[in-house]
Amino acid sequence: MTVRRLVLLGPPGSGKSTQARRASGWLGVPHISTGQMLRRAAEAGTPVGRAAAPFVRRGTLVPDDVVVSLLAANLTDEGFVLDGFPRDVGQALSLEGIVPEGPDLTVHLALPEPEVVRRLGGRVACARGHTYHLEDRPPAVDGVCDVDAEPLAVREDDRPPAVLERLKTYRLETEAVLDHYRSRRLLVDVDGSGLPDDVTERILGVLRA
Ligand code: AMP
């Protein structure tokens, strides 16, 4: 299957960023993470970042006018691996407004909630979004990213109150996006549990099919 426009869906902690980064490498198309773009904008203190920061901190959705324009400014006709967008059906329709062909494929990384909570509880990340788990996948050197030697920290929204809010948002808003793409026969469910390499193999299996 030739895929140039791939969307990764799944709850927080399901491995979207890790898998999106890898998929972007195989497919030769840009990895676009709205969460990462918003965090960078917040760190840089841009107007977009300042508008988004309180929502990101609480674990609720940043308003569409902010996110959709940020996305539109970053999509090119090279294609994409989207990670973190669309988060609700309105955003799925906005994506079709920006890219009328829509995605070629959407992959749902399925993960049960108790495993989401366990994964986010032990997660640390660098500013560029490389993530580790203190038990499952610790960095080689404590507190330092293996890839870019940047310091590792717990994301503020990986702390308990924001995690619960993110899970609620996922259940109430994002799960409907799965049905949106399923009914268009564009969705494949992939088991997101286990090691990142195993999940990668499952995704590759879908892309090779
Ligand atoms: P993520 O890195 O994908 O877990 O996103 C972190 C946070 O960024 C989310 O909890 C939201 O506050 C915000 N965010 C990321 N993507 C979106 C989006 N498509 N729409 C609204 N808010 C978003």
Side-chain angles (χ1 to χ4, degrees), residues 20 22 24-25 32 53 63 67 77 80 98 103 107 116 125-126 136 151 170 172 174 184 193 208:
R22 294 179 182 185
S24 144
I32 311 250
V67 182
D77 53 13
F80 52 76
I98 303 167
V107 169
V116 167
C126 78
D136 301 353
Y170 184 77
L172 293 178
T174 314
R184 287 162 175 71
S193 63
R208 287 189 192 120

Side-chain angles (χ1 to χ4, degrees), residues 34-35 38-39 56 60 62 67 84-85 87 91 155 157 166:
T34 45
L38 292 167
R39 279 187 290 279
V56 175
T60 55
V62 173
V67 182
F85 192 101
R87 285 294 229 270
Q91 291 189 359
R155 260 169 58 176
D157 62 344
R166 288 161 73 199

Side-chain angles (χ1 to χ4, degrees), residues 8 50 85 92 107 118 136 173 199 204-205 207:
L8 291 189
R50 283 202 300 275
F85 192 101
V107 169
R118 192 194 73 81
D136 301 353
E173 309 281 350
V199 178
L204 277 172
L207 292 175

Side-chain angles (χ1 to χ4, degrees), residues 13-31:
S14 58
K16 294 187 297 294
S17 313
T18 303
Q19 302 300 334
R21 192 174 289 115
R22 294 179 182 185
S24 144
W26 323 311
L27 301 175
V29 299
H31 169 200

